[in-house]
């Protein structure tokens, strides 16, 4: 079973904050847990978020605003809410509900991004109940919740879920599911847990509240809980993206177009028409370009970065010496910085595939748009970028906590290189060759954010990623042969990432973060608080 979606998992999610692993996933996990615990009109009273001291959340959750995103998710806030950043201070004061973070050894710590969630709610009768959830953020905004009050589950937010507890639930599950499907809503799966008298109904969307109420009123139904999908619902879970050869074969069936292959495969994944899927890609492309524009318009007084000042507009408007670089690359670099400055200032951005690499793809698109590629061509390029990233995700991970920066800016540079090749007439093989060049040159790239903030060296890495993308595409289109296959290089990226010392995987304890200058800077901003 494969749930990777181009729009959900590779050029998404849309989010706030500097890290998709530490911001996007916490927001969505919290929203899902809140919906499950408050399905029957309960009111959230208290939340405790627990991180393991050996994990990656513990040292960076404040610097990377994990706590801010957990709090917003538990509050049921929308990403576009004007007061999004005010929610954490309010709930820390106990307004609405009590919120706290504990650093404590977790019983299950099999992933660097493990988290336990404890929710206390008050039901309509005034009685209190405590619910316990456990899960992990697994990179690029993807996550899973694998325990709910001691019962095994596997929630990824890729479908709407209705949990039903009752006697003889296995024999009744088909009828229960049939009663929840109407008005074109698609049934995506039924899972029965006889040990806990429970079934889970996976749907494209949550049923009408009247249907859920009638289910709750049935004899021998003990409890019903539900949560909406936190991203576009995944309607097909067949293997679509595991090898570049398989993807290229689909492109050949689509007249040799890798962009069309991405559209066809994502349409199948989401259960949408080709035109509807194309519109989603076009909207995502426009969103990325809007993020870049907002970054250029940012005011210095609104900057909340701890170490960097706003430089994107200065880079874009600089008069460089003749013969140095080129206008398209300068614009792309400036666009990448602009997106990262929005990212670090907690503006609305799109992880592509992660927040730590959220500048490479938008910056590349900005450069293309500024120099002769129209919106339709840029959208085609984005579809190719997403497709190349999906093969990476299918074989590896976007979590820097597992693979270092090679799975963030390394992966995003590979995606962008393929998109540039596409924009200038490259074949599917050339697109993957350009991506291969980027991966072979970023093997072992560490993740070492100074002070845990996604600023230094992250912004510089996005500059390098854009440059890497254009140079790789240029070389391939000029006749250079990458030789080593993309799939093999993804596999090696994952293997080398696993060999890295934990201090080099997003813990702010090694690399650039451990230099004398970095340590002095962190000490200075810490004392200034």
């Amino acid at each position: 079973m494969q749930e990777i979606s181009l729009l959900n998992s590779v050029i998404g999610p849309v989010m706030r904050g500097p890290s998709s692993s530490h911001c996007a996933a916490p927001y969505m996990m919290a929203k899902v847990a809140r919906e499950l615990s408050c399905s029957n009109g309960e009111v959230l009273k208290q939340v405790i978020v627990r991180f393991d001291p050996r994990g990656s959340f513990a040292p960076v959750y404040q610097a990377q605003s994990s706590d801010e995103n957990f709090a917003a998710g538990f509050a049921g806030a929308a990403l576009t809410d004007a007061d999004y950043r005010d929610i954490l201070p309010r709930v820390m004061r106990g307004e609405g509900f009590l919120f706290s973070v504990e650093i404590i050894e977790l019983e299950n710590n099999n992933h660097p991004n493990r988290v336990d969630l404890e929710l206390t709610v008050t039901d309509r009768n005034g009685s209190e109940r405590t619910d316990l959830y456990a899960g992990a953020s697994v990179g690029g905004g993807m996550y899973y919740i694998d325990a709910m009050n001691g019962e095994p589950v596997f929630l990824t937010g890729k479908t709407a879920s209705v949990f039903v507890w009752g006697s003889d639930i296995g024999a009744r599950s088909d009828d229960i599911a049939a009663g929840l499907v109407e008005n074109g809503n698609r049934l995506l799966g039924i899972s029965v847990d006889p040990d806990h008298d429970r079934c889970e109904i996976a749907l494209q969307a949550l049923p009408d509240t009247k249907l859920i109420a009638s289910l709750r009123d049935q004899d021998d139904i003990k409890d019903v809980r539900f949560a909406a999908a936190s991203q576009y619902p995944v309607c097909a879970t067949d293997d679509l993206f595991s090898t570049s050869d398989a993807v290229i074969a689909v492109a050949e069936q689509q007249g040799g177009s890798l962009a069309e292959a991405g559209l066809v495969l994502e349409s199948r994944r989401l259960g949408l028409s080709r035109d509807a899927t194309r519109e989603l890609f076009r909207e995502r492309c426009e969103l990325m370009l809007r993020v870049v524009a907002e970054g250029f318009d940012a005011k210095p007084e609104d900057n909340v970065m701890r170490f960097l000042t706003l430089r994107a507009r200065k880079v874009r408007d600089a008069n460089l010496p003749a013969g140095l670089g080129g206008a398209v690359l300068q614009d792309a670099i400036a666009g990448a910085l602009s997106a990262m400055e929005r990212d670090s200032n907690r503006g609305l951005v799109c992880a592509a595939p992660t927040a730590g690499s959220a500048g490479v793809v938008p910056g590349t698109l900005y450069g293309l748009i500024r120099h002769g590629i129209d919106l339709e061509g840029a959208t085609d390029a984005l579809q190719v970028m997403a497709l190349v990233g999906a093969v990476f995700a299918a074989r590896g991970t976007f979590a820097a906590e597992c693979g270092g920066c090679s799975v963030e800016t390394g992966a995003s540079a590979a995606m962008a290189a393929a998109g540039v090749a596409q924009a200038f007439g490259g074949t599917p093989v050339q697109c993957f060759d350009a991506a291969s060049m980027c991966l072979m040159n970023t093997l072992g790239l560490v993740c070492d954010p100074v002070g845990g903030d996604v600023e230094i060296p992250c912004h510089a890495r996005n500059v390098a990623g854009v440059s890497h993308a254009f140079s790789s595409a240029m070389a391939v289109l000029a006749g250079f042969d990458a030789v080593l296959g993309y799939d093999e290089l993804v596999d090696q990226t994952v293997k080398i990432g696993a060999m890295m010392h934990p201090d080099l995987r997003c813990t702010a304890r090694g690399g650039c973060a451990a230099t004398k200058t970095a340590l002095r800077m962190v000490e200075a901003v810490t004392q200034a608080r």
Side-chain angles (χ1 to χ4, degrees):
M1 185 176 75
Q2 189 183 81
E3 292 188 334
I4 295 164
S5 152
L6 306 187
L7 288 156
N8 286 339
S9 317
V10 186
I11 53 167
V14 176
M15 54 167 288
R16 282 180 180 262
S19 166
S20 47
S21 292
H22 292 158
C23 300
Y27 169 75
M28 289 186 282
M29 293 172 78
K31 272 198 99 172
V32 166
R34 177 185 184 274
E35 289 181 31
L36 289 169
S37 287
C38 299
S39 294
N40 301 302
E42 295 92 339
V43 175
L44 189 60
K45 182 177 181 180
Q46 181 175 4
V47 172
I48 303 174
V49 177
R50 296 189 174 97
F51 305 133
D52 194 285
R54 297 166 295 172
S56 64
F57 270 119
V60 301
Y61 76 89
Q62 291 177 307
Q64 295 191 8
S65 71
S66 304
D67 49 358
E68 185 175 290
N69 279 277
F70 272 116
F74 284 122
L79 287 165
T80 53
D81 284 357
D83 66 342
Y84 192 94
R85 299 207 65 206
D86 298 327
I87 294 171
L88 177 62
R90 291 205 303 265
V91 298
M92 291 294 286
R93 295 192 297 266
E95 296 178 19
F97 58 91
L98 296 171
F99 179 88
S100 61
V101 174
E102 293 182 357
I103 309 300
I104 187 172
E105 188 168 332
L106 303 183
E107 183 177 344
N108 186 345
N109 190 35
N110 60 356
H111 191 284
N113 286 338
R114 265 283 173 184
V115 59
D116 284 0
L117 308 172
E118 179 180 309
L119 282 65
T120 301
V121 298
T122 305
D123 65 21
R124 292 173 176 173
N125 298 320
S127 300
E128 286 189 4
R129 184 186 77 238
T130 297
D131 290 333
L132 302 174
Y133 301 88
S137 165
V138 293
M142 293 181 281
Y143 69 92
Y144 60 78
I145 293 174
D146 59 357
M148 177 171 60
N149 292 329
E151 298 182 15
V153 296
F154 194 72
L155 287 165
T156 63
K158 302 294 175 61
T159 69
S161 295
V162 179
F163 288 92
V164 185
W165 286 263
S167 58
D168 198 24
I169 201 70
R172 305 167 62 191
S173 59
D174 287 345
D175 290 338
I176 290 171
L180 295 176
V181 178
E182 68 171 11
N183 297 328
N185 196 2
R186 295 177 61 171
L187 175 64
L188 302 178
I190 302 172
S191 176
V192 176
D193 181 355
D195 293 337
H196 297 96
D197 296 322
R198 185 197 78 214
C199 70
E200 178 191 357
I201 313 298
L203 300 157
Q204 190 174 19
L206 281 179
D208 184 271
T209 54
K210 294 180 180 178
L211 292 179
I212 293 179
S214 64
L215 171 62
R216 190 182 290 118
D217 292 339
Q218 289 181 23
D219 293 338
D220 299 324
I221 296 298
K222 299 176 184 177
D223 196 7
V224 178
R225 298 194 192 183
F226 51 88
S230 53
Q231 294 182 294
Y232 295 119
V234 169
C235 296
T237 57
D238 44 330
D239 186 340
L240 302 180
F241 306 119
S242 289
T243 70
S244 55
D245 284 346
V247 167
I248 290 172
V250 175
E252 291 172 350
Q253 296 167 8
Q254 302 299 322
S257 170
L258 204 56
E260 192 66 24
L263 191 58
V264 166
L265 292 172
E266 184 70 349
S267 175
R268 184 188 309 173
R269 181 69 89 211
L270 300 183
L272 300 174
S273 70
R274 180 198 177 280
D275 289 348
T277 307
R278 175 66 174 187
E279 183 60 27
L280 292 178
F281 275 111
R282 189 182 293 110
E283 289 173 358
R284 189 61 53 89
C285 186
E286 291 175 329
L287 170 64
M288 290 182 174
L289 294 170
R290 187 164 68 249
V291 167
V292 172
E294 289 172 353
F296 286 135
D297 290 339
K299 297 178 176 60
E301 58 267 27
D302 296 329
N303 181 40
V304 299
M305 292 187 287
R306 293 204 296 168
F307 306 116
L308 297 178
T309 56
L310 301 176
R311 297 295 178 91
R313 189 165 57 229
K314 182 177 182 179
V315 171
R316 183 195 62 185
D317 298 339
N319 291 315
L320 295 174
L324 178 61
V328 62
L329 184 56
Q330 182 177 349
D331 279 336
I333 287 171
L337 281 174
S338 182
M340 288 304 294
E341 288 171 1
R342 289 297 294 160
D343 187 17
S344 293
N345 279 300
R346 280 49 171 176
L348 195 67
V349 297
C350 177
T354 67
S357 60
V360 177
V361 167
T364 300
L365 293 173
Y366 177 75
L368 294 175
I369 284 283
R370 291 263 287 183
H371 297 276
I373 305 299
D374 63 13
L375 180 61
E376 294 306 308
T379 302
D380 285 344
L382 182 60
Q383 288 165 193
V384 171
M385 294 176 187
L387 192 54
V388 168
V391 176
F392 192 104
R395 305 181 73 89
T397 176
F398 294 137
E401 301 80 13
C402 298
C405 200
S406 55
V407 304
E408 291 204 43
T409 55
S412 62
M415 292 162 54
V420 173
Q422 159 71 29
F424 292 103
T427 66
V429 171
Q430 286 176 318
C431 290
F432 273 104
D433 265 4
S436 293
M437 278 191 64
C438 289
L439 292 189
M440 69 174 70
N441 294 331
T442 54
L443 287 173
L445 184 61
V446 304
C447 181
D448 47 352
V450 172
D453 293 78
V454 182
E455 297 179 31
I456 304 172
C458 313
H459 289 217
R461 295 258 172 88
N462 277 257
V463 168
V466 167
S467 307
H468 201 179
F470 276 92
S471 62
S472 296
M474 288 169 61
V476 168
L477 293 176
F480 184 79
D481 188 347
V483 181
L484 302 181
Y486 182 75
D487 297 3
E488 292 180 289
L489 288 165
V490 174
D491 295 345
Q492 289 302 312
T493 298
V494 173
K495 288 179 182 178
I496 291 171
M499 295 177 188
M500 285 184 194
H501 191 280
D503 285 358
L504 303 177
R505 294 183 295 184
C506 201
T507 56
R509 294 194 291 257
C512 291
T515 61
K516 291 180 180 179
T517 298
L519 295 174
R520 285 198 299 269
M521 291 168 62
V522 172
E523 183 179 7
V525 297
T526 302
Q527 290 177 348
R529 285 183 172 179

